[in-house]
Amino acid sequence: MQESGVAVQRFYVADTASEALEAAKRLNAKEIVLKAQILAGGRGKGVFDSGLKGGVHLTKDPAVVGELANQMLGFNLTTKQTPKDGVKVKTVMVAEALDITRETYFAILMDRACNGPVMVGSPQGGMDIEEVADKTPELIFKEVIDIFEGVRDDQALRMAANLEFKGPLQRQAADQIKRLYDLFMKVDATQVEVNPLGETPQGQVVCFDAKISFDDNAEFRQKSVFAMDDMSESDPTEMEAAKWDLKYIGLDGNIACFVNGAGLAMATCDIIDLHGGKPANFLDLGGGVQERQVYEAFKLLTADPKVEAILVNIFGGIVNCAIIANGITKACRELELKVPLVVRLEETWAIDFYLAWNERVLTLMRI
């Protein structure tokens, strides 16, 4: 964000307590904020296994930064979004603390319904935006962006006005909005969410906290971005699934789901839950799955000790059911499956007709 000209707090990143102390001195700020760097939210209310409470601390004494960093680095921080044993903190951010007079919410995200990027903003920032949308939907503002044209000046100013920035701050906020869009495009993001986009007593518009999601398909041209991904914080099963191009997320239930297509996978989890069961995972095979991937997916599912049954729900319109069937039978034989297996392979006449019709056209063209 800093490299793209977006206004953020002055900061350093440190991986030792002595580096954190030195960074605090170099900042020469009235107040300093120290943040544990992990890929999870809820850090402020988290707990370290060192006994320290809170992954975010404010202090006016640089010496305290070193003491706090000593209780953070090398210790596990547990929050509402981490595994139960927490995540080991390897780095901390030492930043200049700024007062915030007002907090707003701003995001740019890809919206399928609009066939491109959309700006979403609210003058009610610094809180759960879903809660704002539920209780005061009139305070949520949207602007559809023409991806060929980018964010126009009038759009940026209108959004800044909707975020209730006044006077010269309105132009400043509009400038930040345009810079955030430039960042969104430059790094192939699917989402740039700033919460809060705040206003300081000194008349600055600053991005105080942000979350950026990147398009996996752009990894080939965003190598520097993806090189920052700390795989040590990822779930080992999810990492193994990613090696086989499988989308896997572990859940708390006992019925394993084996599905193709993210929408069908979510619907399958919902149906299991609706009928009193609990899904053990979300697993999306995708459309171009091969037999080896089916086999590896079964290995992942059967390795979970919580799994007491496996439900296979395959839509044959986007994958060859024979590939799925061969992969399942191979897995059942070689993995010595011990739990009940329910399989649904569903073709549709519309898809069959479409394929046959295409073959007929291709045949006629060859003739």
Side-chain angles (χ1 to χ4, degrees):
M1 296 180 87
Q2 191 178 57
E3 288 170 2
S4 296
V6 176
V8 296
Q9 296 151 280
R10 293 187 299 124
F11 72 94
Y12 295 99
V13 176
D15 53 19
T16 67
S18 58
E19 282 183 12
L21 175 59
E22 187 58 35
K25 291 177 179 177
R26 283 204 305 272
L27 280 172
N28 191 28
K30 289 182 180 178
E31 192 169 23
I32 298 160
V33 59
L34 181 69
K35 295 184 178 184
Q37 298 295 282
I38 62 169
L39 298 174
R43 290 172 297 171
K45 295 180 180 178
V47 179
F48 287 90
D49 55 6
S50 65
L52 180 67
K53 293 183 179 180
V56 179
H57 286 265
L58 286 164
T59 179
K60 294 181 179 179
D61 183 358
V64 174
V65 171
E67 296 169 13
L68 289 169
N70 211 31
Q71 297 177 70
M72 290 183 177
L73 292 164
F75 293 98
N76 282 19
L77 173 60
T78 303
T79 79
K80 61 183 181 180
Q81 292 186 11
T82 64
K84 63 179 181 179
D85 294 328
V87 174
K88 183 175 285 188
V89 175
K90 299 176 183 175
T91 57
V92 293
M93 177 186 278
V94 185
E96 177 185 25
L98 297 175
D99 291 329
I100 307 175
T101 54
R102 202 173 62 84
E103 297 181 330
T104 73
Y105 172 92
F106 178 75
I108 303 169
L109 48 92
M110 296 301 287
D111 187 341
R112 186 182 296 272
C114 299
N115 293 319
V118 172
M119 292 190 288
V120 180
S122 174
Q124 296 292 312
M127 56 191 295
D128 187 347
I129 195 62
E130 286 81 7
E131 187 179 328
V132 177
D134 182 50
K135 293 183 177 177
T136 52
E138 70 277 6
L139 294 179
I140 302 290
F141 300 93
K142 286 177 64 175
E143 287 277 348
V144 178
I145 303 167
D146 184 327
I147 200 163
F148 297 107
E149 189 179 10
V151 177
R152 301 189 310 272
D153 286 344
D154 65 300
Q155 285 184 302
L157 285 166
R158 186 160 54 244
M159 179 58 76
N162 286 333
L163 297 182
E164 298 180 5
F165 287 103
K166 309 291 185 186
L169 285 177
Q170 192 174 109
R171 173 60 68 177
Q172 195 182 141
D175 178 63
Q176 288 298 303
I177 286 168
K178 296 193 76 169
R179 289 173 188 263
L180 285 164
Y181 180 73
D182 290 342
L183 168 68
F184 177 86
M185 295 297 292
K186 185 172 75 174
V187 298
D188 286 301
T190 55
Q191 173 182 281
V192 173
E193 182 182 47
V194 182
N195 191 19
L197 176 64
E199 183 180 317
T200 73
Q202 292 75 32
Q204 296 171 286
V205 177
V206 179
C207 296
F208 283 95
D209 204 352
K211 175 182 177 181
I212 305 177
S213 301
F214 304 94
D215 186 347
D216 292 342
N217 297 309
E219 183 174 358
F220 74 97
R221 66 183 180 199
Q222 298 292 347
K223 296 194 181 300
S224 61
V225 170
F226 283 85
M228 292 190 286
D229 190 5
D230 186 355
M231 301 304 287
S232 66
E233 291 190 33
S234 301
D235 182 276
T237 306
E238 291 179 19
M239 289 171 59
E240 182 63 24
K243 279 168 44 178
W244 297 100
D245 200 22
L246 302 168
K247 304 294 187 292
Y248 176 95
I249 299 172
L251 301 173
D252 296 329
N254 60 352
I255 301 174
C257 302
F258 182 99
V259 190
N260 65 326
L264 185 59
M266 288 189 285
T268 302
C269 289
D270 288 344
I271 289 168
I272 290 171
D273 193 68
L274 181 66
H275 289 278
K278 292 293 178 186
N281 64 275
F282 168 97
L283 175 63
D284 172 17
L285 296 175
V289 66
Q290 297 301 312
E291 192 175 312
R292 180 62 190 272
Q293 290 167 286
V294 175
Y295 177 80
E296 294 297 332
F298 257 78
K299 278 179 67 175
L300 291 172
L301 298 180
T302 54
D304 185 348
K306 301 193 307 294
V307 169
E308 297 178 13
I310 298 174
L311 172 61
V312 177
N313 189 9
I314 297 296
F315 172 63
I318 59 173
V319 70
N320 187 336
C321 286
I323 292 174
I324 303 295
N326 288 335
I328 290 174
T329 52
K330 175 181 169 68
C332 288
R333 283 195 304 267
E334 297 185 12
L335 300 176
E336 299 180 356
L337 193 65
K338 300 283 197 306
V339 297
L341 171 65
V342 178
V343 179
R344 176 182 181 268
L345 302 178
E346 177 73 12
E347 292 281 4
T348 70
W349 71 268
I351 294 295
D352 290 341
F353 175 77
Y354 174 78
L355 293 175
W357 183 77
N358 265 327
E359 288 164 8
R360 177 81 177 274
V361 171
L362 290 171
T363 304
L364 289 171
M365 286 173 68
R366 282 198 296 270
I367 291 170

